[in-house]
Amino acid sequence: MIELNSKARKILEKYAHDLNPVVIVGGNGVTEGVAEKVEAELKAHELIKVKFNEFKDEKKDLAGDLSSQCDATLVRIIGNVAIFYKPAEEPKNRKYEKELNKVL
């Protein structure tokens, strides 16, 4: 998990703006299956959105738990959608690293 400053968060928010949520937290909450799906999507995309259809009052805690389980960074929660970032394992596959390094 990396620490983001406000400029880095803004950069990632800009890129996440046009993304659709790829994981939806429903009635069962944050299950092992949801965590596995988030991890898989982060490996594929680096930057994802997770929508909370249920447990909206607990979304901050649940998003924090998800980021810990997946070793990802919680960029921001906007409404009922959380934005997560985890750099790709292979440095050549990192889409946002060059721009983030300018502000970190």
Side-chain angles (χ1 to χ4, degrees):
M1 198 172 349
I2 62 171
E3 290 295 320
L4 298 174
N5 59 27
S6 62
K7 290 180 181 181
R9 286 184 195 283
K10 285 286 184 197
I11 289 168
L12 291 172
E13 285 176 33
K14 178 181 80 170
Y15 283 112
H17 180 74
D18 293 329
L19 298 177
N20 291 319
V22 292
V23 179
I24 306 226
V25 176
N28 292 331
V30 177
T31 62
E32 190 175 315
V34 169
E36 289 172 3
K37 176 73 171 162
V38 168
E39 185 117 20
E41 293 295 336
L42 282 167
K43 278 187 179 182
H45 303 290
E46 286 188 271
L47 186 66
I48 65 166
K49 287 182 176 178
V50 175
K51 183 171 181 153
F52 289 88
N53 281 348
E54 301 290 332
F55 300 98
K56 293 175 182 176
D57 296 336
E58 301 150 28
K59 64 188 168 214
K60 287 183 183 178
D61 294 333
L62 294 175
D65 292 345
L66 261 178
S67 70
S68 297
Q69 289 176 26
C70 300
D71 195 31
T73 301
L74 176 61
V75 177
R76 183 153 340 268
I77 298 174
I78 301 171
N80 293 314
V81 177
I83 303 169
F84 292 94
Y85 171 70
K86 183 176 182 179
E89 292 176 16
E90 294 288 324
K92 65 180 177 156
N93 295 335
R94 294 180 182 162
K95 301 174 192 169
Y96 311 104
E97 186 174 52
K98 186 185 286 186
E99 203 163 338
L100 289 176
N101 283 338
K102 293 178 187 175
V103 296
L104 290 177

